[in-house]
Amino acid sequence: ESEALVCHDEIILSVSIFPGGKASLLHPIHKQEVEIKGSDPLIALRDSIYCLSSKVVEDSVTEPSQKTILKSSAFFFIEDVFYDDPLDSQTQSRPSDVYFEAIKAVGSTSIAAQALSSDPSSIQRASLSLTKWLDLKIRLNKPYLFAHLGGCEHLFMITDVRAVTLSEEQTLSLPRIVQSLRVRRRKCRVCEVYAGSKMLINDKLMPENPCVICDKCFEGFHGNENLWYNDFIIDSYYHEI
């Protein structure tokens, strides 16, 4: 009976995040599922979303400040409100600026205008870091927009809201990844044993072009630090959806 007692100051939201735009809603197997607290700020979900584009871009920069800027260039669009924060303290530019103007323009082709059927006259703006999920008015199973990196778009839905029981409140650790994005990773085309880690383009010794290869086979063909020949392109290989 005590298990049924709930904490009235806290709720848990279940969120499904889809890897692409509107078409991704037709393939629910390719999604992430995250649980967040109602008292969490919106950035708690932002920081829990995995995207291959983010991984590739973040791996290409080395300065911590650049990584921070990349993470900050994101916004949510929920019930006709853009949630983000200024990127520049002087100009007060925001990640959603282009969308904000486009959605207000007559005949906008923005995914936010098309997929979410927004009323241009009601568009507002609010803080991403200061707004809590408890502050929002949301509808279950309605698609909302998350965008980052200047135009990489994902739709997400709040699929469930429940109260926190008093017994689990003490041990609750959220945000929590309930389901990770299902991905496929090719095996090395040389050994066919280990997962590939590099994509080689125009490599004359590889069985195909481009070719996915693991670290062990790469070292066997090209050496460890000093390449035996370099008339080819080396790129990172992550995975496929």
Side-chain angles (χ1 to χ4, degrees), residues 102-118:
I103 205 171
K104 284 201 162 192
V106 177
S108 168
T109 58
S110 162
I111 185 176
Q114 288 188 341
L116 308 183
S117 302
S118 301

Side-chain angles (χ1 to χ4, degrees), residues 29-76:
I29 191 173
H30 296 302
K31 67 178 181 180
Q32 304 167 68
E33 293 185 357
V34 181
E35 287 186 342
I36 53 178
K37 292 187 293 185
S39 60
D40 284 334
L42 269 60
I43 55 174
L45 179 60
R46 181 203 69 182
D47 295 343
S48 300
I49 295 175
Y50 172 79
C51 176
L52 179 57
S53 297
S54 289
K55 177 67 175 173
V56 172
V57 174
E58 288 177 9
D59 285 354
S60 68
V61 299
T62 56
E63 293 293 330
S65 59
Q66 292 179 311
K67 291 182 182 292
T68 301
I69 292 173
L70 287 172
K71 184 169 286 190
S72 300
S73 61
F75 66 86
F76 289 105

Side-chain angles (χ1 to χ4, degrees), residues 90-154:
Q90 294 183 337
T91 64
Q92 292 295 301
S93 62
R94 290 172 173 261
S96 65
D97 281 345
V98 173
Y99 285 75
F100 184 79
E101 297 302 325
I103 205 171
K104 284 201 162 192
V106 177
S108 168
T109 58
S110 162
I111 185 176
Q114 288 188 341
L116 308 183
S117 302
S118 301
D119 178 7
S121 64
S122 65
I123 302 301
Q124 301 178 42
R125 310 185 95 157
S127 171
L128 179 70
S129 57
L130 299 180
T131 305
K132 297 179 180 180
W133 288 98
L134 280 172
D135 301 331
L136 303 185
K137 293 182 179 180
I138 57 175
R139 283 178 274 182
L140 292 181
N141 298 313
K142 180 185 176 182
Y144 297 120
L145 177 70
F146 168 71
H148 61 138
L149 301 177
C152 184
E153 301 173 337
H154 305 259

Side-chain angles (χ1 to χ4, degrees), residues 104-199:
K104 284 201 162 192
V106 177
S108 168
T109 58
S110 162
I111 185 176
Q114 288 188 341
L116 308 183
S117 302
S118 301
D119 178 7
S121 64
S122 65
I123 302 301
Q124 301 178 42
R125 310 185 95 157
S127 171
L128 179 70
S129 57
L130 299 180
T131 305
K132 297 179 180 180
W133 288 98
L134 280 172
D135 301 331
L136 303 185
K137 293 182 179 180
I138 57 175
R139 283 178 274 182
L140 292 181
N141 298 313
K142 180 185 176 182
Y144 297 120
L145 177 70
F146 168 71
H148 61 138
L149 301 177
C152 184
E153 301 173 337
H154 305 259
L155 295 182
F156 70 96
M157 297 178 181
I158 311 297
T159 58
D160 187 53
V161 178
R162 68 177 178 87
V164 178
T165 62
L166 294 177
S167 60
E168 70 178 338
E169 182 187 15
Q170 305 300 322
T171 58
L172 195 61
S173 179
L174 297 177
R176 177 173 63 189
I177 308 297
V178 178
Q179 176 179 310
S180 299
L181 185 66
R182 296 187 182 184
V183 299
R184 182 174 68 89
R185 194 172 181 185
R186 297 189 211 173
K187 287 186 177 181
C188 172
R189 290 292 288 122
V190 176
C191 68
E192 295 286 355
V193 174
Y194 299 106
S197 60
K198 293 179 174 61
M199 178 78 75

